[in-house]
């Protein structure tokens, strides 16, 4: 090697050493800057968190004061309603804006901990929370279509291919999909509740029951011939109910989304809310949706009683049949009660809005000379 080549290699080595030292120094500076930023942000976040908790405490204190004044007849009821609405709007502002992450959320519960472990699933940014909600809505739309498609395929094959007797594997495959569906819904709804969504506890509990039912159904030996049509009568009715449920889910998703937008625009709901609650909605769809829901709930209870009857008559005496029948009746009753409660709440809210509108019109009317 010539002397010039050796000098060039030595210079390259020194240059590489200097570059490595520079990169290492930059990494250390970045680490120090990031640590300082995180510490500063943490301190500022703690200050904002204390302010958010103070405002929330003030809202609760003022609400209690208003209730006490109304109870003692020291405050006019009209003024109390207006103040209560303003407090509710203040609550929605806290829960709907970027300050929502500063307010402690609901505990995750055992269901999420069982599947995910002690992992915090609450998003700190509002846009991420809204993406979780939108993905939940898309999941419901997709599953509503499949809820309608799968039973239609099974019933068509039963009539045209399987000579009225469905194979056990096909039905159990559908039940396995139902287990995936209800587990997915329950997980997403629990995550939404942690992130501030207002979901009635019954609907999550309903999905727990449906998960258990789908899981147990995988152990149910669906017998074939002889008397296949009689022994599979409950399965056939369940598939018919599932098709009706798919249609109702389409209407329900559309209706609930439209009326939720109305509530958000009025300041009566948070953007993270998903379903149920009082609101002014789309009355035409409501007249179609409510009878369909009640028919579905009645049909669900009928299938439950039919399964119990077949078990007690000895036609199909497996324990799964008794379990399904009892669970379907309980779920139908729970759905009916919660639907009625929702309609009653909605009716009270609409009556209140009509009274407010009438008072406004009377107040605007003045005698003419």
């Amino acid at each position: 090697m010539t002397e010039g080549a050796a000098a060039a290699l030595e210079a390259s080595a020194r240059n590489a050493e200097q570059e490595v030292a520079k990169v290492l120094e930059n990494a250390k500076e970045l680490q120090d800057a990031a640590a300082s930023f995180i510490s500063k942000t943490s301190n500022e976040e703690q200050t904002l968190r204390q302010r958010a908790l103070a405002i929330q405490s003030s809202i609760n204190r003022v609400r209690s004061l208003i209730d006490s004044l109304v109870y003692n007849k020291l405050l006019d009821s009209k003024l109390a309603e207006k103040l209560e609405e303003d407090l509710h709007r203040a609550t929605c502002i806290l829960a709907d804006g970027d300050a929502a992450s500063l307010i402690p959320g609901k505990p995750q519960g055992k269901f999420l901990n069982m599947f995910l472990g002690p992992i915090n699933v609450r998003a700190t940014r509002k846009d991420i929370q809204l993406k979780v909600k939108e993905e939940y809505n898309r999941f419901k739309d997709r599953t509503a279509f499949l809820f309608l498609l799968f039973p239609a395929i099974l019933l068509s094959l039963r009539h045209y291919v399987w000579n009225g007797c469905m194979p056990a594997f096909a039905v159990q495959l559908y039940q396995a999909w139902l287990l995936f569906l209800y587990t997915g819904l329950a997980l997403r709804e629990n995550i939404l509740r942690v992130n501030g969504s207002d979901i009635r506890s019954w609907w999550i509990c309903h999905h727990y029951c449906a998960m258990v039912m789908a899981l147990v159904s995988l152990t149910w030996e669906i017998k074939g011939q002889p008397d296949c049509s009689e022994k599979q009568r409950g399965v056939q009715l369940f598939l018919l109910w599932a098709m009706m449920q798919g249609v109702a889910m389409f209407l329900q998703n559309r209706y609930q989304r439209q009326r939720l937008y109305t509530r958000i625009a009025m300041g009566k709901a948070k953007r993270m809310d998903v379903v149920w609650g009082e609101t002014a909605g789309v009355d035409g769809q409501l007249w179609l949706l409510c009878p369909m829901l009640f028919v579905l709930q009645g049909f669900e209870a009928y299938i439950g009683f039919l399964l119990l009857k077949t078990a007690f008559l000895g036609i199909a005496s497996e324990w799964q049949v008794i379990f399904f029948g009892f669970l379907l009746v309980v779920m139908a009753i729970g759905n009916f009660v919660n639907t009625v409660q929702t309609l009653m709440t909605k009716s009270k809210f609409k009556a209140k809005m009509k009274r407010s509108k009438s008072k406004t019109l009377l107040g605007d009317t003045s005698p003419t000379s």
Side-chain angles (χ1 to χ4, degrees):
M1 180 180 296
T2 62
E3 186 176 340
L9 286 175
E10 185 178 352
S12 298
R14 285 197 303 269
N15 185 49
E17 185 178 355
Q18 291 173 358
E19 288 293 328
V20 170
K22 183 178 180 181
V23 169
L24 180 60
E25 184 65 26
N26 290 337
K28 291 180 179 179
E29 290 179 359
L30 179 61
Q31 166 61 24
D32 293 339
S36 175
F37 173 76
I38 292 174
S39 177
K40 180 181 178 181
T41 303
S42 178
N43 292 334
E44 292 179 355
E45 181 182 355
Q46 186 62 29
T47 302
L48 293 175
R49 192 181 302 278
Q50 292 175 355
R51 289 180 58 186
L53 292 175
I55 294 174
Q56 193 176 43
S57 177
S58 298
I59 291 174
N60 295 331
R61 177 175 52 79
V62 174
R63 182 172 284 129
S64 299
L65 176 62
I66 293 173
D67 292 340
S68 176
L69 292 174
V70 171
Y71 179 78
N72 294 307
K73 298 182 179 179
L74 299 176
L75 184 65
D76 181 68
S77 59
K78 299 177 186 177
L79 179 58
E81 287 182 4
K82 181 182 181 302
L83 295 176
E84 187 65 35
E85 289 181 359
D86 290 341
L87 284 177
H88 186 75
R89 288 192 176 92
T91 303
C92 287
I93 290 173
L94 281 180
D96 247 358
D98 295 327
S101 61
L102 303 172
I103 301 175
K106 297 179 181 178
Q108 293 188 182
K110 296 181 180 178
F111 186 79
L112 282 179
N113 289 335
M114 179 177 64
F115 279 91
L116 305 178
I119 299 175
N120 184 15
V121 296
R122 191 178 189 197
T124 57
R125 289 169 46 187
K126 200 65 185 179
D127 58 335
I128 298 177
Q129 292 180 345
L130 293 174
K131 285 181 181 178
V132 173
K133 174 193 164 184
E134 287 303 317
E135 178 55 34
Y136 168 75
N137 288 330
R138 283 194 293 267
F139 182 75
K140 286 205 304 181
D141 290 338
R142 293 194 303 267
T143 52
F145 174 73
L146 294 175
F147 215 105
L148 176 63
L149 179 63
F150 280 1
I153 293 174
L154 288 175
L155 290 173
S156 298
L157 291 174
R158 172 186 176 273
H159 180 73
Y160 294 106
V161 178
W162 293 328
N163 296 322
C165 188
M166 290 179 285
F169 177 75
V171 178
Q172 289 175 342
L173 185 63
Y174 175 62
Q175 295 289 355
W177 177 81
L178 287 180
L179 177 60
F180 162 77
L181 164 65
Y182 287 118
T183 304
L185 285 174
L187 281 170
R188 292 165 189 263
E189 286 167 352
N190 275 281
I191 292 174
L192 283 171
R193 288 193 71 185
V194 173
N195 282 279
S197 292
D198 184 18
I199 302 176
R200 285 196 175 188
S201 300
W202 162 252
W203 302 114
I204 300 180
C205 181
H206 174 274
H207 291 154
Y208 293 160
C209 294
M211 286 169 51
V212 173
M213 186 170 63
L215 183 62
V216 172
S217 69
L218 296 176
T219 68
W220 183 10
E221 182 183 357
I222 302 174
K223 297 180 180 179
Q225 300 294 353
D227 301 327
C228 177
S229 59
E230 184 68 26
K231 292 179 180 178
Q232 292 189 359
R233 178 65 175 167
V235 177
Q236 181 185 0
L237 288 174
F238 179 81
L239 293 176
L240 289 173
W241 171 82
M243 291 180 63
M244 296 174 61
Q245 178 75 3
V247 175
M249 286 173 68
F250 274 118
L251 293 175
Q252 201 171 19
N253 292 349
R254 179 178 175 83
Y255 167 73
Q256 288 170 348
R257 224 173 279 178
Q258 287 181 348
R259 68 177 187 166
L260 180 60
Y261 293 154
T262 303
R263 291 196 72 204
I264 293 172
M266 295 170 61
K268 298 291 184 180
K270 306 184 293 292
R271 286 183 294 169
M272 280 301 295
D273 289 347
V274 286
V275 293
W276 308 107
E278 68 280 3
T279 180
V282 187
D283 289 333
Q285 289 186 359
L286 186 62
W287 283 108
L288 176 63
L289 179 62
C290 284
M292 180 173 291
L293 289 177
F294 287 130
V295 169
L296 278 170
Q297 291 156 8
F299 196 43
E300 186 177 21
Y302 169 71
I303 296 174
F305 283 120
L306 178 65
L307 291 174
L308 291 174
K309 179 181 177 181
T310 57
F312 293 137
L313 292 178
I315 299 174
S317 56
E318 295 88 350
W319 68 270
Q320 292 93 336
V321 179
I322 300 175
F323 182 83
F324 289 167
F326 175 76
L327 199 56
L328 282 172
V329 172
V330 170
M331 291 165 66
I333 294 173
N335 290 342
F336 176 79
V337 170
N338 275 268
T339 302
V340 171
Q341 288 177 348
T342 300
L343 291 176
M344 291 176 63
T345 307
K346 176 183 173 65
S347 177
K348 291 178 182 178
F349 178 78
K350 294 186 75 173
K352 178 181 175 182
M353 292 296 294
K354 287 181 179 179
R355 288 197 302 269
S356 300
K357 186 176 180 180
S358 299
K359 292 175 183 177
T360 302
L361 291 174
L362 289 174
D364 291 341
T365 303
S366 58
T368 57
S369 57

